[in-house]
C-alpha cells in the first residue's frame, strides 16, 4: 500500500531518472489533460509531499496521487513494459529514461507557482526537510476524534496511511477508538517519525523488524490470527470520519486497551 515512505522512494527514483533532462515524450491518458504537451521542457525534479508526488517540468507541475494501487515505473526508451498499456495514466520520457505512471488515481497539471492549491492544506511531513514536530503535535492533539481517524487525516500529519495507523497504535498499546485527547500524541508521533524514516530507505516496509513475506506487521492484515506478542486473536473493524470514509482497523484486544 503506497504511503509516505513509498512516495518518497518513488520521487527519489523519478528525480534520479529524469531531473535535468529534456522531455521527449509526454502523454497523459486522462480526458482533462489528454492534449497537453510539455515536450521540449526541462525536468526540474520530483518532490514528495506526504502521499502526493510533484514532478516539476519547466514552469508546470505534474501532480499525482498513488491511492491504493498506483505506482511509477522507470524504463529505458523502447524497453518493454511489465504491465498492460490500458493501466497507464501518464508517460514522461527523456532521451535517457521513461517514467510510466500505472493505476494512478489522480493526475493533474498546474503551474508550479500554484502547487499550494493542491497540497497547501497538508500538515507537517515527517519525511520533509522542514518537518515541524511541534506543529504536528499541536494539530494532532487538537483533534477530538478517535485517534485512528485523526492520525489518517492528512491535515494533521502528512504521510501516514492505514497500515501505519494500525501498526503504530499497536506498538503504543492504544485502541483505534481511543479519543485523541486521551493519547500521548507526542510519543505516538515520535515513534511514527522514527518508523517511517527507517522504512524510507528499505526496499520493503516492516514494523516488526523482519523483512519476510507475512512477517512484517504486528496486526495489519492479520484479523483472526494470533497476536505475535500475547496469542490473542487479532480483531478487525471499520472506523472513519463518516460512513463514506471508513477504513479497516486491526487491533489486539489484550495488547491495546
Amino acid at each position: 500500500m503506497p504511503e509516505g515512505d513509498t512516495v518518497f522512494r518513488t520521487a527519489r527514483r523519478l528525480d534520479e531518472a529524469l531531473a535535468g533532462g529534456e522531455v521527449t515524450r509526454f502523454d497523459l491518458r486522462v480526458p482533462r489533460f489528454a492534449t497537453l504537451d510539455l515536450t521540449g521542457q526541462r525536468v526540474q525534479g520530483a518532490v514528495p509531499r506526504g502521499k502526493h508526488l510533484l514532478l516539476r517540468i519547466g514552469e508546470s507541475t505534474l501532480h499525482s496521487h498513488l491511492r491504493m494501487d498506483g505506482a511509477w515505473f522507470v524504463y529505458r526508451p523502447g524497453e518493454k513494459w511489465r504491465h498492460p498499456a490500458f493501466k497507464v495514466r501518464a508517460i514522461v520520457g527523456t532521451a535517457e529514461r521513461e517514467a510510466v505512471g500505472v493505476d494512478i488515481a489522480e493526475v493533474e497539471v498546474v503551474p508550479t507557482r500554484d502547487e499550494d492549491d493542491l497540497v497547501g492544506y497538508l500538515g507537517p511531513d515527517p519525511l520533509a526537510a522542514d518537518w515541524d514536530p511541534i506543529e504536528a503535535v499541536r494539530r494532532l492533539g487538537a483533534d477530538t476524534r478517535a485517534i485512528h481517524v485523526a492520525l489518517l487525516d492528512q491535515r494533521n500529519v502528512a504521510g501516514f496511511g492505514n497500515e501505519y495507523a494500525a501498526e503504530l497504535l499497536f506498538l503504543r498499546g492504544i485502541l483505534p477508538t481511543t479519543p485523541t485527547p486521551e493519547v500521548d500524541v507526542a510519543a505516538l508521533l515520535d515513534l511514527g517519525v522514527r518508523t517511517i524514516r527507517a522504512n524510507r530507505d528499505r526496499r520493503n516496509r516492516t514494523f516488526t523488524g523482519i523483512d519476510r513475506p507475512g512477517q512484517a506487521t504486528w496486526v495489519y492484515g492479520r484479523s483472526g490470527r494470533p497476536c505475535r506478542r500475547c496469542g490473542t486473536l487479532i480483531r478487525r473493524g471499520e472506523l472513519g470520519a463518516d460512513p463514506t470514509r471508513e477504513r479497516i482497523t486491526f487491533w489486539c484486544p489484550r495488547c491495546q486497551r
Side-chain angles (χ1 to χ4, degrees):
M1 179 180 295
E3 301 200 18
D5 50 5
T6 310
V7 175
F8 184 95
R9 287 192 299 274
T10 300
R12 181 168 56 191
R13 186 166 65 252
L14 292 184
D15 192 79
E16 292 171 350
L18 302 176
E22 181 179 303
V23 176
T24 56
R25 183 180 182 185
F26 189 84
D27 182 6
L28 298 186
R29 299 177 179 181
V30 293
R32 183 180 173 191
F33 299 102
T35 61
L36 181 65
D37 186 6
L38 296 183
T39 56
Q41 301 292 313
R42 186 77 55 184
V43 179
Q44 307 300 328
V47 179
R49 187 72 174 89
K51 297 183 181 182
H52 300 256
L53 196 152
L54 306 172
L55 181 58
R56 294 166 178 162
I57 304 171
E59 297 182 355
S60 300
T61 294
L62 169 58
H63 164 255
S64 60
H65 195 298
L66 305 183
R67 292 294 180 187
M68 298 288 288
D69 303 307
W72 280 91
F73 298 87
V74 175
Y75 299 97
R76 292 182 177 85
E79 183 179 357
K80 185 178 180 179
W81 294 345
R82 299 186 299 273
H83 39 75
F86 73 84
K87 289 179 172 287
V88 174
R89 303 289 302 283
I91 305 169
V92 180
T94 67
E96 301 293 330
R97 292 289 187 272
E98 188 172 77
V100 180
V102 178
D103 285 332
I104 298 172
E106 296 179 23
V107 179
E108 53 193 324
V109 178
V110 299
T112 299
R113 64 176 181 274
D114 295 336
E115 282 180 358
D116 272 358
D117 292 346
L118 300 175
V119 297
Y121 72 94
L122 295 172
D125 181 347
L127 297 181
D130 62 353
W131 163 246
D132 186 343
I134 295 176
E135 176 63 11
V137 169
R138 186 195 69 79
R139 291 193 184 203
L140 187 59
D143 199 318
T144 59
R145 297 172 296 177
I147 184 58
H148 187 273
V149 174
L151 194 56
L152 290 183
D153 193 328
Q154 301 298 295
R155 295 171 298 181
N156 292 329
V157 185
F160 294 132
N162 208 35
E163 186 173 3
Y164 268 95
E167 293 294 295
L168 295 177
L169 293 178
F170 171 82
L171 289 168
R172 288 293 301 167
I174 302 167
L175 273 175
T177 53
T178 304
T180 299
E182 298 178 13
V183 173
D184 184 345
V185 295
L188 177 63
L189 285 176
D190 177 69
L191 174 63
V193 171
R194 288 187 283 114
T195 304
I196 199 170
R197 287 181 178 176
N199 281 326
R200 171 188 61 192
D201 300 318
R202 292 184 174 123
R203 181 176 180 179
N204 298 310
R205 182 187 304 147
T206 179
F207 297 91
T208 61
I210 302 174
D211 182 11
R212 297 193 188 98
Q215 299 183 46
T217 62
W218 293 98
V219 294
Y220 185 83
R222 301 191 67 247
S223 59
R225 301 175 65 185
C227 175
R228 299 188 193 278
R229 282 184 175 170
C230 71
T232 304
L233 296 184
I234 301 300
R235 293 185 182 177
R236 166 180 167 156
E238 293 184 355
L239 195 63
D242 58 58
T244 66
R245 290 182 286 173
E246 288 186 339
R247 304 295 297 276
I248 298 173
T249 58
F250 301 92
W251 75 95
C252 170
R254 182 173 181 181
C255 294
Q256 294 168 261
R257 299 184 178 183

